[in-house]
Amino acid sequence: MSADIATQALPRQQSGPVLEIDLEAVATNTRLLADRATGELMAVVKADGFGHGAEAVARTALANGATSLGVTSIQEATALRDAGLVAPVLSWLNTPEADFAAAIRRDIDLAVPTADHLAAIAGAAARTGRVAAIHLHADTGMARDGAAPADWLRLCVLAREAQHRGHVRVVGLMGHLSSADDPADPANVAGRRAFARFSRIARASGLRPATRHLAATAATLTDPRSHHQLCRVGAGLVGIDPSGTTALRGAMTLTAPVVNVRRVPAGTPVGYGHTYVTDGAATLALLPVGYADGMPRAASGQAEVLVRGRRRPVVGLISMDQMVVDVTGVRVGAGELVTILGPGERGEPTMADWATWSGTLPHEIVTGLGSRLTRSVIPAAPHLRSLP
Ligand SMILES: *Cc1c(COP(=O)(O)O)cnc(C)c1O
């Protein structure tokens, strides 16, 4: 190995894998999404901001056009309050036994999918002497977490009564689209129509929620008829466009230093199960990243990484803590930084590539990148909108 390679690799002083989070990319994506949304923009920062850090993504989004935050559980919402965030926060996935009193005390809006949730929330509001801000949650075609059409009228009537007694204020009405990633799918029209029916029944029940919301990232980018007063976007903030229509910027870059390099003869089996055997003499570089860090084992046999500006194949099965790259013909020494995943601007594999290689979505790749990785955050430059 020549000296110039060693000295190029060493000054980085990176002794293990580093996951870099680029908040400037989050800022840019948020501004684009806020411009597309006909109403307000909610930054969905569930699952630790899609693996990018909930607080950092929330602060960046709020400084660049988002006006509220969305998460699943009360625990996630409370963590944002603990971090000092004072923007409106909506939590939409809780059991009826959840600590609604804690949520109400901390000004966390709550989605209500069933009469049981409503009763629990109204009770918690009565105990705390406060009014709970609620968003009635309708199932617009997923058989998942909103109220079914058959239960909707009763839920609206009960919510109206609870509002009358002063325990809750119905501030929102929400649905969710099953198939917005394919704008041509007829399920989108059906979902919008279902939402309109739910809205009419709510209105007929005497409810006037100021904020109706249906669109997530894909519908925000492709279907203004679904926007209403608010779009809830998560994936788009971190550079994922499920509709494939819009250039958003990935915000993660994962690099790792080569642990060792070895030359092997033709016919050398590599890794568990000997699923790969070198067909000629080869140079193999070992990377200290594996499926425990979130690089899917299912991508074995297809994955590539960027070594000195060139795509090189991962060979053999990805193990828990390590993977082997065939770097034959590339001059590489131990310590050389390899890019495993990034926005793709320098030819490196993207989260979409890793998703394709492992038969999943980019969402699963970014939320799976392990807590064991060292994180490094690049701050976003201040933007005009964030100045007082
Ligand atoms: C995750 C989620 C969103 C955000 O969806 P993206 O496609 O990531 O923008 C919006 N609404 C609900 C109910 C969700 O669960």
Side-chain angles (χ1 to χ4, degrees):
M1 215 36 64
S2 71
D4 64 309
I5 291 173
T7 48
Q8 277 178 23
L10 283 175
R12 298 293 297 266
Q13 293 290 316
Q14 186 175 318
S15 61
V18 170
L19 182 63
E20 192 180 80
I21 309 293
D22 176 11
L23 294 179
E24 189 58 45
V26 175
T28 304
N29 295 333
T30 308
R31 292 198 291 269
L32 184 149
L33 290 156
D35 285 345
R36 295 286 188 90
T38 57
E40 307 268 306
L41 192 75
M42 171 184 283
V44 176
V45 295
K46 62 189 182 187
D48 197 25
F50 287 59
H52 291 64
E55 183 192 349
V57 174
R59 287 191 190 283
T60 305
L62 290 168
N64 287 277
T67 53
S68 65
L69 302 171
V71 290
T72 55
S73 67
I74 290 172
Q75 285 80 355
E76 286 183 318
T78 307
L80 295 171
R81 288 284 181 255
D82 289 343
L85 287 154
V86 296
V89 178
L90 170 64
S91 160
W92 61 69
L93 192 62
N94 295 289
T95 66
E97 289 73 36
D99 190 354
F100 292 123
I104 295 165
R105 274 193 216 98
R106 304 203 72 180
D107 271 324
I108 293 162
D109 289 14
L110 295 163
V112 174
T114 71
D116 286 349
H117 288 80
L118 180 66
I121 291 168
R127 285 197 304 283
T128 55
R130 305 185 65 159
V131 183
I134 63 170
H135 298 236
L136 295 183
H137 193 174
D139 175 15
T140 48
M142 293 185 77
R144 221 177 55 165
D145 49 352
D151 303 324
W152 183 250
L153 174 60
R154 175 162 172 266
L155 182 62
C156 289
V157 169
L158 292 173
R160 174 83 178 92
E161 288 169 9
Q163 180 164 276
H164 194 68
R165 284 194 296 274
H167 298 320
V168 306
R169 200 156 34 87
V170 180
V171 298
L173 197 168
M174 69 185 283
H176 195 51
L177 295 170
S178 63
S179 311
D181 55 336
D182 176 6
D185 193 315
N188 295 308
V189 182
R192 283 203 314 270
R193 288 194 180 140
F195 193 62
R197 282 194 300 277
F198 283 111
S199 300
R200 281 197 298 275
I201 291 168
R203 199 177 162 79
S205 310
L207 297 171
R208 299 287 182 273
T211 308
R212 295 188 304 124
H213 43 113
L214 179 62
T217 297
T220 301
L221 293 172
T222 63
D223 186 7
R225 287 166 297 184
S226 68
H227 288 193
H228 302 286
Q229 291 78 39
L230 174 73
C231 291
R232 303 183 307 263
V233 303
L237 301 176
V238 300
I240 300 169
D241 169 19
S243 75
T245 60
T246 311
L248 299 172
R249 266 176 74 194
M252 277 182 169
T253 299
L254 175 61
T255 56
V258 168
V259 172
N260 67 43
V261 177
R262 53 158 62 190
R263 294 184 200 288
V264 298
T268 303
V270 180
Y272 285 120
H274 289 179
T275 60
Y276 179 83
V277 179
T278 57
D279 49 9
T283 308
L284 303 178
L286 180 66
L287 298 180
V289 191
Y291 59 76
D293 303 294
M295 309 324 299
R297 186 170 179 273
S300 304
Q302 300 191 65
E304 298 171 345
V305 295
L306 194 73
V307 186
R308 294 208 147 220
R310 292 165 66 177
R311 289 278 195 112
R312 302 303 307 174
V314 174
V315 292
L317 286 174
I318 294 172
S319 328
M320 185 182 289
D321 316 299
Q322 45 191 296
M323 59 174 84
V324 175
V325 180
D326 186 333
V327 294
T328 308
V330 191
R331 295 204 310 166
V332 175
E336 175 81 30
L337 273 194
V338 170
T339 305
I340 296 165
L341 174 156
E345 285 152 8
R346 289 166 300 118
E348 74 277 18
T350 61
M351 49 193 168
D353 291 330
W354 278 96
T356 303
W357 293 330
S358 55
T360 186
L361 300 176
H363 308 59
E364 193 174 339
I365 300 297
V366 295
T367 54
L369 285 174
S371 49
R372 180 163 74 173
L373 297 170
T374 300
R375 282 161 194 257
S376 137
V377 176
I378 305 175
H383 184 254
L384 283 179
R385 281 194 218 183
S386 66
L387 298 177

